[in-house]
Amino acid sequence: MNDRFLKACRREPVDRTPIWVMRQAGRYLPEYRELRKKCTMMEAVTTPEIAAEITLQPLQRFPFDAAILFSDLTVPFTPMGAPFDLKEGVGPVVHHPVRSASDLARLRRLEPAADLPYVLETIKILKGELKVPLIGFTGAPFTLASYMIEGGPSKDLRLTRRMMYSEPTLWHSLMEILSDSVAAYLGAQMDAGADAVQLFDSWVGVLSEAAYREFLLPHMRVIFEKLATYRKPVIHFGTGNPTLLPILAEAGGSVLGVDWRISLTDASASIGRSVELAFQGNLDPALLLAGGPAMENATHRILAEGRKLPGHIFNLGHGIFPDTPLAHMEALIKLVTEAPVAA
Protein backbone atom coordinates (compact mmCIF):
# COMPACT_ATOMS: atom_id res chain seq x y z
CA MET A 1 0.00 0.00 0.00
CA ASN A 2 1.10 3.56 -0.69
CA ASP A 3 1.73 4.72 2.90
CA ARG A 4 3.16 8.16 2.07
CA PHE A 5 0.23 9.87 3.79
CA LEU A 6 0.59 7.78 6.96
CA LYS A 7 4.34 8.41 7.10
CA ALA A 8 3.78 12.17 6.91
CA CYS A 9 1.16 11.93 9.67
CA ARG A 10 3.76 10.18 11.81
CA ARG A 11 6.37 12.84 10.94
CA GLU A 12 8.52 10.28 9.13
CA PRO A 13 10.56 11.00 5.97
CA VAL A 14 8.66 10.80 2.66
CA ASP A 15 9.80 10.80 -0.97
CA ARG A 16 7.43 13.69 -1.72
CA THR A 17 4.60 15.64 -0.07
CA PRO A 18 1.43 13.53 0.05
CA ILE A 19 -1.83 15.03 -1.17
CA TRP A 20 -5.53 14.48 -0.69
CA VAL A 21 -8.28 17.11 -0.65
CA MET A 22 -11.40 17.58 1.40
CA ARG A 23 -14.57 16.67 -0.53
CA GLN A 24 -12.43 15.00 -3.19
CA ALA A 25 -15.33 12.58 -3.70
CA GLY A 26 -18.07 14.95 -4.75
CA ARG A 27 -19.87 17.25 -7.12
CA TYR A 28 -16.89 18.51 -9.14
CA LEU A 29 -16.64 14.99 -10.63
CA PRO A 30 -18.95 14.32 -13.63
CA GLU A 31 -19.21 10.63 -12.69
CA TYR A 32 -20.44 11.63 -9.23
CA ARG A 33 -23.07 13.92 -10.70
CA GLU A 34 -24.21 11.15 -13.03
CA LEU A 35 -24.49 8.63 -10.19
CA ARG A 36 -26.40 11.08 -8.01
CA LYS A 37 -29.12 11.38 -10.67
CA LYS A 38 -30.13 7.87 -9.61
CA CYS A 39 -30.26 8.33 -5.82
CA THR A 40 -30.72 10.86 -3.04
CA MET A 41 -27.87 11.95 -0.81
CA MET A 42 -29.21 9.82 2.06
CA GLU A 43 -29.51 6.80 -0.22
CA ALA A 44 -25.91 7.35 -1.30
CA VAL A 45 -24.46 7.57 2.21
CA THR A 46 -26.55 4.71 3.64
CA THR A 47 -25.95 2.19 0.84
CA PRO A 48 -22.46 0.70 1.31
CA GLU A 49 -21.94 -0.23 -2.34
CA ILE A 50 -22.82 3.29 -3.51
CA ALA A 51 -20.81 5.04 -0.79
CA ALA A 52 -17.81 2.85 -1.59
CA GLU A 53 -18.12 3.56 -5.33
CA ILE A 54 -18.21 7.31 -4.70
CA THR A 55 -15.22 7.11 -2.34
CA LEU A 56 -13.24 5.37 -5.08
CA GLN A 57 -14.22 7.71 -7.94
CA PRO A 58 -11.53 10.37 -7.40
CA LEU A 59 -8.83 7.70 -7.00
CA GLN A 60 -9.73 6.36 -10.43
CA ARG A 61 -8.95 9.79 -11.93
CA PHE A 62 -6.19 11.22 -9.77
CA PRO A 63 -3.17 9.83 -7.86
CA PHE A 64 -4.29 10.98 -4.42
CA ASP A 65 -2.32 9.54 -1.52
CA ALA A 66 -5.41 8.86 0.62
CA ALA A 67 -9.12 8.27 0.24
CA ILE A 68 -11.72 10.03 2.37
CA LEU A 69 -14.80 8.04 3.28
CA PHE A 70 -17.93 9.29 1.50
CA SER A 71 -20.50 10.04 4.20
CA ASP A 72 -21.98 13.03 6.00
CA LEU A 73 -21.26 14.64 9.36
CA THR A 74 -24.87 14.29 10.43
CA VAL A 75 -25.54 10.57 9.87
CA PRO A 76 -25.37 9.88 13.65
CA PHE A 77 -28.27 12.26 14.33
CA THR A 78 -31.29 10.06 13.60
CA PRO A 79 -30.18 7.05 15.68
CA MET A 80 -29.24 9.46 18.48
CA GLY A 81 -32.80 10.80 18.56
CA ALA A 82 -32.51 13.89 16.35
CA PRO A 83 -34.02 12.85 12.99
CA PHE A 84 -33.15 15.03 10.01
CA ASP A 85 -33.31 15.35 6.24
CA LEU A 86 -30.48 16.22 3.86
CA LYS A 87 -32.06 18.81 1.58
CA GLU A 88 -30.39 19.53 -1.76
CA GLY A 89 -28.91 23.01 -1.83
CA VAL A 90 -29.59 23.52 1.89
CA GLY A 91 -27.88 20.80 3.91
CA PRO A 92 -29.07 18.97 7.03
CA VAL A 93 -32.43 20.07 8.45
CA VAL A 94 -33.21 18.70 11.93
CA HIS A 95 -36.91 17.99 12.49
CA HIS A 96 -36.95 18.86 16.20
CA PRO A 97 -34.03 21.07 17.22
CA VAL A 98 -32.42 20.53 20.63
CA ARG A 99 -33.07 23.71 22.61
CA SER A 100 -34.26 22.62 26.06
CA ALA A 101 -33.76 20.00 28.74
CA SER A 102 -36.75 18.07 27.41
CA ASP A 103 -35.23 18.09 23.93
CA LEU A 104 -31.96 16.82 25.38
CA ALA A 105 -33.80 14.01 27.14
CA ARG A 106 -34.71 12.58 23.70
CA LEU A 107 -31.05 12.09 22.83
CA ARG A 108 -28.98 9.01 23.55
CA ARG A 109 -25.36 8.09 23.04
CA LEU A 110 -24.48 6.58 19.69
CA GLU A 111 -23.85 2.83 19.42
CA PRO A 112 -22.01 2.72 16.07
CA ALA A 113 -22.20 -1.01 15.33
CA ALA A 114 -25.96 -1.10 15.87
CA ASP A 115 -26.81 2.42 14.71
CA LEU A 116 -24.56 2.94 11.66
CA PRO A 117 -23.71 -0.53 10.32
CA TYR A 118 -23.76 0.75 6.72
CA VAL A 119 -20.83 3.10 7.42
CA LEU A 120 -18.74 0.29 8.89
CA GLU A 121 -19.68 -2.02 6.00
CA THR A 122 -18.60 0.69 3.52
CA ILE A 123 -15.19 0.82 5.21
CA LYS A 124 -14.82 -2.95 5.00
CA ILE A 125 -15.65 -2.91 1.28
CA LEU A 126 -13.15 -0.13 0.66
CA LYS A 127 -10.33 -1.88 2.51
CA GLY A 128 -10.58 -4.68 -0.03
CA GLU A 129 -10.27 -2.23 -2.93
CA LEU A 130 -7.91 0.56 -1.92
CA LYS A 131 -4.17 0.78 -2.41
CA VAL A 132 -3.94 4.00 -0.37
CA PRO A 133 -4.94 4.68 3.26
CA LEU A 134 -8.59 5.32 4.07
CA ILE A 135 -9.56 8.30 6.22
CA GLY A 136 -12.74 8.06 8.28
CA PHE A 137 -14.36 11.15 9.78
CA THR A 138 -17.13 12.80 11.70
CA GLY A 139 -17.98 16.24 13.02
CA ALA A 140 -16.64 17.61 16.29
CA PRO A 141 -19.13 18.16 19.14
CA PHE A 142 -19.45 21.93 18.62
CA THR A 143 -20.19 21.57 14.92
CA LEU A 144 -22.66 18.73 15.49
CA ALA A 145 -24.33 20.73 18.29
CA SER A 146 -24.70 23.73 16.00
CA TYR A 147 -26.79 21.71 13.53
CA MET A 148 -28.84 20.13 16.32
CA ILE A 149 -29.58 23.45 18.02
CA GLU A 150 -30.01 25.73 15.00
CA GLY A 151 -32.04 23.08 13.16
CA GLY A 152 -29.83 23.44 10.08
CA PRO A 153 -27.04 25.59 8.63
CA SER A 154 -26.65 29.04 10.22
CA LYS A 155 -24.39 31.99 9.44
CA ASP A 156 -24.03 33.28 13.00
CA LEU A 157 -24.91 30.27 15.22
CA ARG A 158 -26.62 32.64 17.62
CA LEU A 159 -28.91 29.99 19.15
CA THR A 160 -25.95 27.70 19.72
CA ARG A 161 -23.87 30.39 21.37
CA ARG A 162 -26.83 31.59 23.40
CA MET A 163 -27.30 28.12 24.91
CA MET A 164 -23.58 27.83 25.59
CA TYR A 165 -23.46 31.10 27.53
CA SER A 166 -26.90 31.19 29.16
CA GLU A 167 -27.45 27.49 29.95
CA PRO A 168 -23.99 26.05 30.64
CA THR A 169 -25.33 23.00 32.49
CA LEU A 170 -27.50 22.05 29.53
CA TRP A 171 -24.62 22.77 27.17
CA HIS A 172 -22.14 20.57 29.00
CA SER A 173 -24.68 17.74 29.18
CA LEU A 174 -25.10 17.94 25.42
CA MET A 175 -21.32 18.03 24.96
CA GLU A 176 -20.91 14.89 27.07
CA ILE A 177 -23.37 12.97 24.91
CA LEU A 178 -21.77 14.22 21.71
CA SER A 179 -18.15 13.71 22.79
CA ASP A 180 -18.85 10.14 23.92
CA SER A 181 -20.65 9.47 20.63
CA VAL A 182 -17.89 11.02 18.50
CA ALA A 183 -15.18 8.99 20.24
CA ALA A 184 -17.18 5.78 19.88
CA TYR A 185 -17.96 6.46 16.21
CA LEU A 186 -14.39 7.26 15.19
CA GLY A 187 -13.14 4.30 17.19
CA ALA A 188 -15.59 2.01 15.40
CA GLN A 189 -14.41 3.35 12.04
CA MET A 190 -10.81 2.52 12.95
CA ASP A 191 -11.86 -0.91 14.21
CA ALA A 192 -13.56 -1.49 10.83
CA GLY A 193 -10.33 -0.67 9.00
CA ALA A 194 -9.95 3.10 8.65
CA ASP A 195 -6.24 3.92 8.68
CA ALA A 196 -6.74 7.43 10.05
CA VAL A 197 -9.64 9.67 11.04
CA GLN A 198 -10.38 13.37 10.78
CA LEU A 199 -12.44 15.37 13.22
CA PHE A 200 -14.11 18.28 11.41
CA ASP A 201 -14.92 21.37 13.47
CA SER A 202 -16.35 23.33 10.59
CA TRP A 203 -17.99 26.11 12.62
CA VAL A 204 -15.68 26.45 15.64
CA GLY A 205 -14.17 29.63 14.20
CA VAL A 206 -17.05 31.69 15.65
CA LEU A 207 -15.64 31.15 19.16
CA SER A 208 -13.00 32.98 21.14
CA GLU A 209 -10.08 31.19 22.76
CA ALA A 210 -11.63 31.81 26.20
CA ALA A 211 -14.98 30.33 25.15
CA TYR A 212 -13.29 27.27 23.62
CA ARG A 213 -11.28 26.71 26.80
CA GLU A 214 -14.34 26.89 29.04
CA PHE A 215 -17.00 25.19 26.95
CA LEU A 216 -15.19 22.76 24.63
CA LEU A 217 -11.67 21.92 25.74
CA PRO A 218 -12.55 19.40 28.51
CA HIS A 219 -14.80 17.46 26.14
CA MET A 220 -12.35 17.53 23.24
CA ARG A 221 -9.59 16.18 25.46
CA VAL A 222 -11.78 13.22 26.37
CA ILE A 223 -12.23 12.37 22.67
CA PHE A 224 -8.53 12.50 21.84
CA GLU A 225 -7.53 10.58 24.95
CA LYS A 226 -9.89 7.77 23.97
CA LEU A 227 -8.70 7.74 20.35
CA ALA A 228 -5.03 7.69 21.35
CA THR A 229 -5.40 4.03 22.33
CA TYR A 230 -5.87 3.10 18.64
CA ARG A 231 -2.39 4.35 17.72
CA LYS A 232 -3.60 5.65 14.36
CA PRO A 233 -3.35 9.23 13.05
CA VAL A 234 -6.10 11.59 14.16
CA ILE A 235 -6.43 14.84 12.20
CA HIS A 236 -7.92 17.77 14.10
CA PHE A 237 -9.33 20.33 11.68
CA GLY A 238 -11.13 23.58 12.54
CA THR A 239 -11.92 26.55 10.34
CA GLY A 240 -12.33 30.28 10.56
CA ASN A 241 -10.22 31.56 13.47
CA PRO A 242 -6.44 31.09 13.27
CA THR A 243 -6.01 32.31 16.86
CA LEU A 244 -7.64 29.05 17.99
CA LEU A 245 -4.84 26.89 16.55
CA PRO A 246 -2.80 26.71 19.79
CA ILE A 247 -5.79 25.54 21.80
CA LEU A 248 -6.83 23.09 19.08
CA ALA A 249 -3.33 21.63 19.36
CA GLU A 250 -3.68 21.59 23.12
CA ALA A 251 -6.95 19.66 22.83
CA GLY A 252 -5.27 16.80 20.99
CA GLY A 253 -4.71 14.94 17.76
CA SER A 254 -1.58 13.93 15.88
CA VAL A 255 -2.12 16.13 12.79
CA LEU A 256 -3.34 19.73 12.87
CA GLY A 257 -5.43 20.80 9.89
CA VAL A 258 -4.89 24.44 8.90
CA ASP A 259 -7.33 26.47 6.84
CA TRP A 260 -6.28 29.14 4.32
CA ARG A 261 -6.48 32.16 6.63
CA ILE A 262 -2.96 31.69 8.01
CA SER A 263 0.29 30.42 6.53
CA LEU A 264 1.70 27.06 7.58
CA THR A 265 4.78 28.91 8.85
CA ASP A 266 2.75 31.16 11.12
CA ALA A 267 0.52 28.27 12.20
CA SER A 268 3.56 26.26 13.24
CA ALA A 269 5.08 29.24 15.05
CA SER A 270 1.86 29.81 16.98
CA ILE A 271 1.93 26.21 18.23
CA GLY A 272 5.58 26.16 19.22
CA ARG A 273 8.28 23.58 18.69
CA SER A 274 7.52 21.65 21.87
CA VAL A 275 4.25 20.26 20.47
CA GLU A 276 4.87 17.22 18.26
CA LEU A 277 2.36 17.56 15.44
CA ALA A 278 2.26 17.10 11.71
CA PHE A 279 0.41 19.74 9.69
CA GLN A 280 -2.17 19.48 6.92
CA GLY A 281 -3.24 22.15 4.43
CA ASN A 282 -3.79 24.74 3.28
CA LEU A 283 -4.54 26.03 -0.23
CA ASP A 284 -7.53 28.35 -0.45
CA PRO A 285 -10.24 26.41 -2.38
CA ALA A 286 -10.91 29.60 -4.34
CA LEU A 287 -7.35 29.46 -5.68
CA LEU A 288 -8.00 25.95 -7.00
CA LEU A 289 -11.21 27.27 -8.54
CA ALA A 290 -9.29 30.12 -10.17
CA GLY A 291 -6.32 28.04 -11.34
CA GLY A 292 -3.46 29.55 -13.30
CA PRO A 293 -0.46 31.45 -11.92
CA ALA A 294 -2.23 32.44 -8.67
CA MET A 295 -2.83 28.79 -7.79
CA GLU A 296 0.63 27.75 -8.92
CA ASN A 297 2.41 30.43 -6.88
CA ALA A 298 0.40 29.63 -3.74
CA THR A 299 1.03 25.91 -4.17
CA HIS A 300 4.79 26.42 -4.47
CA ARG A 301 4.74 28.60 -1.33
CA ILE A 302 2.79 26.04 0.68
CA LEU A 303 5.08 23.22 -0.43
CA ALA A 304 8.14 25.28 0.53
CA GLU A 305 6.67 26.02 3.96
CA GLY A 306 5.71 22.37 4.40
CA ARG A 307 9.26 21.19 3.71
CA LYS A 308 10.39 23.06 6.83
CA LEU A 309 7.89 21.20 9.02
CA PRO A 310 8.48 17.76 10.53
CA GLY A 311 5.43 16.39 8.70
CA HIS A 312 3.18 17.94 6.04
CA ILE A 313 0.19 16.68 4.04
CA PHE A 314 -0.91 18.96 1.19
CA ASN A 315 -4.63 19.71 1.24
CA LEU A 316 -7.07 22.54 0.72
CA GLY A 317 -7.98 24.91 3.52
CA HIS A 318 -11.53 23.52 3.30
CA GLY A 319 -13.61 21.52 0.84
CA ILE A 320 -13.29 21.77 -2.94
CA PHE A 321 -15.89 23.95 -4.67
CA PRO A 322 -18.32 21.93 -6.84
CA ASP A 323 -17.64 24.07 -9.94
CA THR A 324 -13.87 23.54 -9.80
CA PRO A 325 -12.62 22.50 -13.27
CA LEU A 326 -11.05 19.05 -13.49
CA ALA A 327 -8.10 20.58 -15.34
CA HIS A 328 -7.29 22.69 -12.29
CA MET A 329 -7.22 19.62 -10.08
CA GLU A 330 -4.99 17.86 -12.58
CA ALA A 331 -2.62 20.84 -12.59
CA LEU A 332 -2.55 20.98 -8.78
CA ILE A 333 -1.73 17.31 -8.40
CA LYS A 334 1.01 17.61 -11.02
CA LEU A 335 2.56 20.53 -9.11
CA VAL A 336 2.52 18.62 -5.81
CA THR A 337 3.58 15.19 -7.06
CA GLU A 338 6.43 16.54 -9.19
CA ALA A 339 7.76 18.97 -6.58
CA PRO A 340 11.23 18.19 -5.22
CA VAL A 341 11.55 16.79 -1.70
CA ALA A 342 14.00 19.55 -0.75
CA ALA A 343 14.12 23.16 -1.88
Side-chain angles (χ1 to χ4, degrees):
M1 184 177 70
N2 167 4
D3 63 350
R4 189 179 290 115
F5 162 78
L6 295 175
K7 284 182 176 179
C9 288
R10 297 192 296 259
R11 298 155 51 99
E12 297 173 0
V14 291
D15 59 341
R16 66 161 174 81
T17 303
I19 178 173
W20 72 279
V21 301
M22 286 177 275
R23 297 196 197 122
Q24 68 187 25
R27 289 175 288 172
Y28 76 107
L29 292 172
E31 55 268 39
Y32 172 83
R33 296 194 297 270
E34 191 63 29
L35 187 153
R36 281 293 316 282
K37 291 177 182 178
K38 306 170 186 175
C39 62
T40 66
M41 179 65 174
M42 281 305 297
E43 288 171 338
V45 300
T46 59
T47 307
E49 293 77 13
I50 297 176
E53 180 181 350
I54 294 172
T55 302
L56 292 168
Q57 283 179 342
L59 279 299
Q60 292 160 354
R61 272 189 182 269
F62 306 116
F64 289 118
D65 293 301
I68 177 75
L69 175 70
F70 180 75
S71 188
D72 191 83
L73 298 181
T74 51
V75 293
F77 282 10
T78 295
M80 289 181 68
F84 73 103
D85 291 321
L86 282 174
K87 294 193 175 180
E88 296 290 340
V90 177
V93 177
V94 178
H95 298 172
H96 305 289
V98 178
R99 296 174 184 168
S100 67
S102 60
D103 296 328
L104 185 67
R106 296 197 310 266
L107 296 184
R108 67 171 180 84
R109 284 164 171 76
L110 187 72
E111 298 177 12
D115 296 333
L116 299 173
Y118 52 85
V119 175
L120 307 183
E121 180 59 28
T122 300
I123 292 172
K124 292 173 183 176
I125 293 172
L126 287 166
K127 289 304 294 180
E129 299 284 340
L130 285 167
K131 292 182 172 61
V132 297
L134 175 64
I135 305 168
F137 75 94
T138 192
F142 180 81
T143 290
L144 296 180
S146 73
Y147 286 116
M148 284 188 173
I149 296 167
E150 304 290 337
S154 168
K155 291 182 179 179
D156 54 23
L157 304 182
R158 65 184 185 277
L159 300 179
T160 305
R161 290 187 286 162
R162 182 181 69 182
M163 178 191 289
M164 187 176 71
Y165 292 127
S166 66
E167 300 183 79
T169 300
L170 181 63
W171 174 263
H172 284 294
S173 295
L174 176 58
M175 286 296 101
E176 288 174 5
I177 292 172
L178 288 173
S179 60
D180 286 349
S181 298
V182 163
Y185 185 30
L186 292 179
Q189 290 183 44
M190 288 190 281
D191 282 336
D195 300 287
V197 291
Q198 176 158 307
L199 193 58
F200 282 86
D201 221 344
S202 306
W203 306 123
V204 74
V206 302
L207 298 182
S208 67
E209 188 271 346
Y212 190 104
R213 186 169 296 279
E214 180 177 356
F215 295 105
L216 292 185
L217 185 59
H219 307 288
M220 298 299 290
R221 280 178 168 160
V222 168
I223 295 171
F224 290 111
E225 286 168 3
K226 290 179 178 178
L227 296 180
T229 62
Y230 290 87
R231 299 186 179 278
K232 293 184 177 183
V234 180
I235 306 166
H236 190 183
F237 175 68
T239 62
N241 185 353
T243 64
L244 291 179
L245 286 173
I247 198 167
L248 294 181
E250 183 181 342
S254 48
V255 181
L256 185 65
V258 182
D259 81 1
W260 70 92
R261 295 171 177 87
I262 184 173
S263 71
L264 290 176
T265 300
D266 290 342
S268 175
S270 74
I271 303 304
R273 294 180 179 271
S274 62
V275 181
E276 295 186 354
L277 286 172
F279 289 82
Q280 179 177 279
N282 65 332
L283 184 72
D284 185 342
L287 281 166
L288 180 58
L289 179 65
M295 181 192 77
E296 293 168 11
N297 293 337
T299 299
H300 287 307
R301 173 182 55 79
I302 292 167
L303 288 168
E305 291 176 342
R307 290 187 198 104
K308 298 175 184 177
L309 301 174
H312 175 229
I313 300 105
F314 194 98
N315 207 311
L316 303 181
H318 205 243
I320 183 173
F321 289 124
D323 51 343
T324 298
L326 292 178
H328 294 185
M329 180 62 79
E330 291 169 357
L332 174 65
I333 292 175
K334 190 174 190 302
L335 286 170
V336 175
T337 57
E338 294 184 0
V341 177

